[in-house]
Every structure is written in C-alpha cells, then in structure tokens.
Amino acid sequence: MGSRLEVSRRGLRFRLDGTPVPRSVDILVSDHRVWSVAVDSPNSDGWTRLAWPAALRPYLRGTATVAVRDPASSQILVSRDVTLGLGRRPMEIRNAQGKLLSVNKWLRLGSSLEADADGVQERLLQSASTVTAQLEELGYAAYICSGTLLGAIRRQGLLPHDDDVDLGILLSHSHPSDLTLDSYRLEDQLVALGHTVVRHSSVHLQVMFLQDSGRTDHYVDIFSAFYRNEHEFCQPFHIRADVPRSSIVPTRPLELAGSLLPAPAKPEDWLAACYGPDWQVPDPSFRFRTPAATRRRFDNWFGSQNMNREFWESSYAGEDTVTSSPGDARHLRALSRLLPPGVPVADLGSGSGYQAGVIASHGHPVIGVDYSFRAVALARDGAGPAEFRVLNLYDRRRMLEFGAELVQTRQAWHFNLSHILEGLTAEGRENVFLFLRLVMRPGTFAFATVDTNFSAVRYRPELPQTWHLPLATLRTEAARHGLEVDLIARGRRRTASGPRRTATAVLKQTRPIPASH
C-alpha cells in the first residue's frame, strides 16, 4: 500500500510501509519542526493517530507540506501537500515579530534555537558565560544543568529544540525558609549587577535579556539545589534523588559550543536523576513527569510566582500601541466621579497602560504596575504621564516592599483594580488584599471591576481572561483582611470569550489600623 499521511485541522494520522514507527517523531510544516511527540504503537489497522496540540490549532490554515520525521536519523518517513481551512495562503507558524514557533515541552508555542536567524544563540551563550562567572565571583557553586547539560554531553553544543540556558547553584542550607532567603539575596545581587530578574518560585530565578521593545530576546534560568539528609539531592522543580554530593561538586569545566562552562562533577549522575536511566537516548518529545509527592512537596515549600506571566507576555508581544479593552470607558467614568481631585493612584495590573494614562491625564499622580515587560514597555512609550514599573502581584515580598514605599510617602493613595482580581488565583488575590490592608488609609479606597459569570462560550483554564470572580467570593476573601466591598454598579461587556456580566465595587477598610502601624 505504501506509506500514507492524512492531515486535518483536528489532527493527523500516518502509516508506514516496511519502516518501524520510532518512539517519537518530529512533525514538520514546510520544513520547519513545529512539534515533537512520543507515539504509541500503531493501531490494529496500522495507523498511528495524533491530535494537534491546542496551541497549534489557530495557525493551521492555508497550504503547506506536512511531514513526519524520525528525530534520531533525520529521515522523512512520510509527507504530503495539504490545504487546511478555506485559505490558500502559505501556512506559517510564526509570532507577530516573524519568528518561527514550535511546541515546547510544556505544550506551549515558543521560539527555539533551531529556528535562530538573528544570532540569538551567540547572545545566549555570551550571557550564560557572563552570568556563570558572576555567580562564581559571588561565591556560588554554579553548574549547567537540564537540557543545557544534555546538549553539552551529547553534542558539545546547545540542543536545537531548546530555547534557553539552565544553571543550577548548590546552596548550603536545607530548610525552605533559609533557601528562600538565599534566593531573594541572590536576586538582589543580580539586580545590583544590572540584570533583569523574573522570579518563578522561591528557589527559581530567570535572568531576562530584553529587546528595547520589552520583548524577550533570551534568558538564563537559575535553579537552587540543596541536600536533605546528606544524600537526598533536591533541585526543584523536578529532582529528588539519591545523588552523592561528590557527583555535583566540585564542578568541572565542560565545552558548550566553544565555551567552557562549569558542569557537575559527574554529569551522568545528574542527568540520570533528572531524565531517568535512558537519558542517553535522544527524545525531543520528552516531557517531565514529576512524581506527585515531589511536586506536592516543592509546590508547598516554594510555591509558584510566575502564574500566567508568559501568557500575558505573548498577548502583549503582538501589540504595538496602547489600546483600550471592553468596559474601560464605563469603569473610568465611575472612578472619576469618586476620586478626590489630585489624589495619587496606584494601578495594579495596568497592562499596556490605557487606564493609568487616562487617570493621569485628569491630574492624578499615577504608578502603574504589571509583570509583563512588554506591557510595561508599551505603557512607557504611549500611555501618557503615568509612571510604570514591572511588579509581580504573585510575589508577596516585592508587593509588600512596594506597599511600604507608598506608606513612606505619607500620601492618601487610592487604587485601580480593573479586571485584575478575577484573573488572579486565590493566592494572588490574597497578596493584593494584604497590600491594600497595609497601604490604605481612612477615606481611601480601591476601585474594582470584575467579571462575575462563568465564561461558558470559550472558558479554558489556561486563559485567565476567561476566568470569573463571583461578588460573594470577593466579599468573603476581602473580609478576612478587614476590607468591605460596596457594590456600585452591575453591567455587561462583550469580550472575545463571550458576553460577561460585571460588578463594579469599592473596597474600603472596616477595621481600624493599630496606632503603631
């Protein structure tokens, strides 16, 4: 019968004539690898079936040559020309800046080094060398790890489907509180050296290297590692294994694309602990399957402070101007009727700065904060006289530092919370309420609008703009922090995720603040 490939917008299926189906395959669209996936044995009819990842489906329109490739041999196993949807234009899996995208191990779209056309690999290696040298100068035992170590061992270079450099640092402490303090100390040291740092958890940092536009050029991950009971090696988010300390330190130099970077003393022991005993076998479709007990322990100890940041970075990456959102005008009209003249306003989750700019144009000093670098860059360029900063509402320490800064101004700060609370998890809202409790004074308020109904049209848990927050839940959560919620108005707005019901409310303090506050 010969090999065959059939492709639709829902998925693809293939059968091979006389060729065994490999353990994993690369899926190519017009010679560009868009997905690597582990495959099961063919069905009884000889067909192997794969459903497209959700992240790819919006791009599957137009004409292209789709191919299935063996990643071990680079042999094309089967291919065909296809037309998907009604369009006849060439199908392209690219972002707004024209960079080719592939599905990564988290099933999200991102750029990879194999599609590098502008020298990002050289910049990444230079940044990794700089950061590693600085860590060693600061006294940290640093080493390359994860996919970076795997690439150094297998090919003395970076893996083509990778997109960053991974570093580990072995810390001397073992208690979660001490490790957290160590990590914040390191963050402060890196910022003092001029770096831009993103915190993923209490022990995971990312050193960002941004373009002038605020878009991400490349980044270097830094994972804190530690020992418990001397032999249990831990490196969140994934590793808890019996690895001797002598396998990690002292580190030794290892070649990576012409540079010498420190590596664990016995790289094979680290790789086996991370990827399992078959780590030598190339598998570009590899996905971490962290044991539940390990994930639960690390999550409870160190948390996650990067919730949905990459989603919002991707959302703003395609924008070039400050734009309003459905419901902005109604929210701002109601806010303007209540704000005393000239009072300072902090806009939490300010996005690209539209509302902060309007409030500032009415004579209010405004500080807008958001954890999207691209959003803050857009706001600084086009949102008017407000001040804009990068601040992560999930990072309680930095939130409370910001709150202390506002308190020290001795001014009566008011707060804008437009469609931010329903897009946060309960932990994120807890941070906001703690912040408000610290900063608000008698007579001041926070002004919030939230979507209150379930987004039945397009709800997806990975899309925060489809989330909702019932007014009763808002009241219950705020009350735990001495805040009352007074409903101002109910309304409706049309969004990409369907019609949403809204509630606009004022949050005020109900319990007096102690005199020592």
Side-chain angles (χ1 to χ4, degrees):
M1 292 182 61
S3 298
R4 292 182 59 189
L5 171 65
E6 296 181 359
V7 184
S8 72
R9 292 196 61 205
R10 299 179 64 182
L12 55 88
R13 66 174 192 160
F14 63 90
R15 59 183 300 164
L16 305 179
D17 183 21
T19 303
V21 177
R23 292 172 50 181
S24 65
V25 296
D26 294 334
I27 307 301
L28 282 66
V29 172
S30 298
D31 297 324
H32 167 55
R33 184 191 67 86
V34 299
W35 183 30
S36 296
V37 57
V39 295
D40 298 323
S41 299
N43 294 339
S44 57
D45 60 4
W47 289 91
T48 298
R49 292 171 171 81
L50 299 169
W52 292 113
L56 266 179
R57 289 176 187 163
Y59 295 84
L60 300 176
R61 293 182 174 89
T63 62
T65 300
V66 176
V68 179
R69 183 177 69 185
D70 181 350
S73 65
S74 297
Q75 175 188 358
I76 299 297
L77 303 175
V78 61
S79 69
R80 69 173 297 173
D81 296 333
V82 302
T83 299
L84 300 181
L86 299 177
R88 294 296 183 270
R89 300 179 64 181
M91 189 186 307
E92 291 190 329
I93 319 297
R94 297 177 183 270
N95 63 14
Q97 291 71 54
K99 285 190 175 182
L100 291 167
L101 302 175
S102 303
V103 176
N104 61 25
K105 55 180 174 287
W106 313 114
L107 295 182
R108 296 192 292 261
L109 283 177
S111 57
S112 60
L113 296 175
E114 64 188 339
D116 175 27
D118 63 356
V120 69
Q121 179 168 320
E122 288 74 18
R123 296 193 296 276
L124 174 58
L125 287 168
Q126 179 58 54
S127 296
S129 297
T130 298
V131 171
T132 303
Q134 290 171 333
L135 289 171
E136 291 180 328
E137 289 174 6
L138 291 169
Y140 294 96
Y143 53 87
I144 58 173
C145 62
S146 302
T148 306
L149 179 60
L150 200 58
I153 293 295
R154 284 186 184 160
R155 48 187 291 154
Q156 293 78 53
L158 295 166
L159 296 175
H161 54 271
D162 215 343
D163 60 358
D164 66 350
V165 164
D166 297 306
L167 301 176
I169 54 171
L170 183 60
L171 301 175
S172 59
H173 290 116
S174 60
H175 192 282
S177 296
D178 292 324
L179 293 163
T180 298
L181 290 172
D182 287 341
S183 183
Y184 274 96
R185 186 177 300 111
L186 171 59
E187 180 183 353
D188 288 340
Q189 291 170 325
L190 291 170
V191 170
L193 290 170
H195 290 299
T196 299
V197 181
V198 167
R199 178 167 293 280
H200 282 240
S201 77
S202 292
V203 289
H204 174 195
L205 301 175
Q206 200 170 67
V207 182
M208 305 292 294
F209 296 87
L210 305 174
Q211 301 168 358
D212 292 341
S213 65
R215 298 183 177 98
T216 301
D217 187 70
H218 60 279
Y219 55 90
V220 176
D221 275 318
I222 303 176
F223 299 93
S224 297
F226 57 97
Y227 273 91
R228 298 181 72 240
N229 305 322
E230 191 55 35
H231 289 289
E232 186 184 43
F233 175 70
C234 300
Q235 185 171 314
F237 59 97
H238 180 67
I239 302 176
R240 284 174 65 203
D242 186 5
V243 179
R245 189 179 294 268
S246 60
S247 294
I248 307 299
V249 290
T251 61
R252 66 180 180 87
L254 196 63
E255 182 180 348
L256 182 69
S259 300
L260 289 178
L261 293 175
K266 295 182 180 178
E268 61 276 6
D269 289 354
W270 193 100
L271 292 168
C274 184
Y275 298 107
D278 296 330
W279 65 268
Q280 293 104 324
V281 180
D283 181 6
S285 67
F286 176 83
R287 292 183 65 197
F288 287 106
R289 292 175 174 83
T290 308
T294 297
R295 182 174 295 278
R296 184 168 57 249
R297 174 163 293 187
F298 287 160
D299 284 350
N300 288 340
W301 281 353
F302 306 118
S304 175
Q305 293 152 336
N306 200 50
M307 180 69 66
N308 292 322
R309 189 187 65 81
E310 292 179 7
F311 167 82
W312 290 113
E313 288 288 11
S314 298
S315 298
Y316 288 113
E319 296 187 14
D320 292 313
T321 59
V322 175
T323 56
S324 62
S325 300
D328 279 356
R330 185 187 302 115
H331 175 93
L332 288 168
R333 284 196 300 270
L335 174 60
S336 67
R337 289 194 291 267
L338 295 178
L339 272 181
V343 297
V345 177
D347 188 356
L348 305 186
S350 54
S352 62
Y354 174 79
Q355 290 199 11
V358 171
I359 297 168
S361 70
H362 292 167
H364 298 277
V366 178
I367 298 177
V369 299
D370 202 283
Y371 67 171
S372 164
F373 291 97
R374 176 57 184 160
V376 170
L378 280 170
R380 287 171 174 167
D381 284 345
E387 175 188 347
F388 294 96
R389 304 182 187 180
V390 175
L391 179 68
N392 184 357
L393 303 187
Y394 285 105
D395 189 338
R396 180 172 296 183
R397 180 186 178 107
R398 300 308 183 196
M399 277 286 288
L400 296 181
E401 287 177 350
F402 178 52
E405 176 189 340
L406 297 187
V407 168
Q408 290 171 358
T409 68
R410 299 186 179 277
Q411 294 181 284
W413 286 86
H414 292 65
F415 304 91
N416 188 41
L417 308 174
S418 179
H419 293 291
I420 183 66
L421 293 174
E422 74 267 41
L424 297 172
T425 63
E427 293 82 358
R429 292 194 296 273
E430 181 93 355
N431 289 348
V432 171
F433 297 140
L434 283 170
F435 169 85
L436 294 177
R437 177 67 177 157
L438 169 67
V439 183
M440 282 205 300
R441 291 290 178 265
T444 67
F445 60 82
F447 197 75
T449 297
V450 298
D451 291 326
T452 58
N453 67 310
F454 186 79
S455 179
V457 176
R458 285 190 57 195
Y459 171 75
R460 282 166 54 186
E462 70 274 18
L463 300 181
Q465 76 267 50
T466 69
W467 298 1
H468 73 295
L469 180 64
L471 187 60
T473 302
L474 173 58
R475 282 178 166 147
T476 299
E477 293 180 349
R480 290 199 291 266
H481 298 276
L483 303 172
E484 68 177 4
V485 178
D486 294 334
L487 179 65
I488 299 298
R490 294 187 184 272
R492 294 177 179 272
R493 65 177 188 142
R494 294 189 175 276
T495 73
S497 57
R500 310 302 299 274
R501 292 194 297 271
T502 64
T504 298
V506 166
L507 283 70
K508 297 180 179 179
Q509 288 182 342
T510 59
R511 293 200 296 266
I513 301 174
S516 61
H517 181 76

